[in-house]
Amino acid sequence: PPRCSPWRPGRYVVLLRAGSGEAEVRGTARALRVRAARRGYPSELLHVFSLLPAFLVKMSRDVLDTV
């Protein structure tokens, strides 16, 4: 499973396993946003990193258990 670490309050860097491609990173970000929305929490994809299989997302800490 991806690892998630706080960067700033409400902003999290989600790191996928090494070797994950851009399509997998974007797909994971999209799935996370869908799960958050289903639970009534807004989220926003802020950045997809190019050198790491990771993305930065703004969301409630209550959604972390879905990562």
Side-chain angles (χ1 to χ4, degrees):
R3 290 179 34 201
C4 194
S5 59
W7 179 58
R8 291 185 179 170
R11 295 177 188 215
Y12 299 90
V13 174
V14 179
L15 179 63
L16 280 67
R17 69 182 175 274
S20 298
E22 183 179 351
E24 186 175 356
V25 172
R26 289 187 180 277
T28 300
R30 186 172 34 256
L32 176 61
R33 293 189 67 213
V34 167
R35 285 191 298 249
R38 284 185 183 152
R39 294 177 72 180
Y41 293 102
S43 62
E44 180 183 355
L45 178 62
L46 300 175
H47 184 74
V48 175
F49 295 94
S50 59
L51 298 177
L52 293 172
F55 59 91
L56 177 64
V57 64
K58 182 177 180 182
M59 65 182 182
S60 169
R61 129 183 249 171
D62 295 335
V63 184
L64 290 178
D65 65 335
T66 68
V67 174

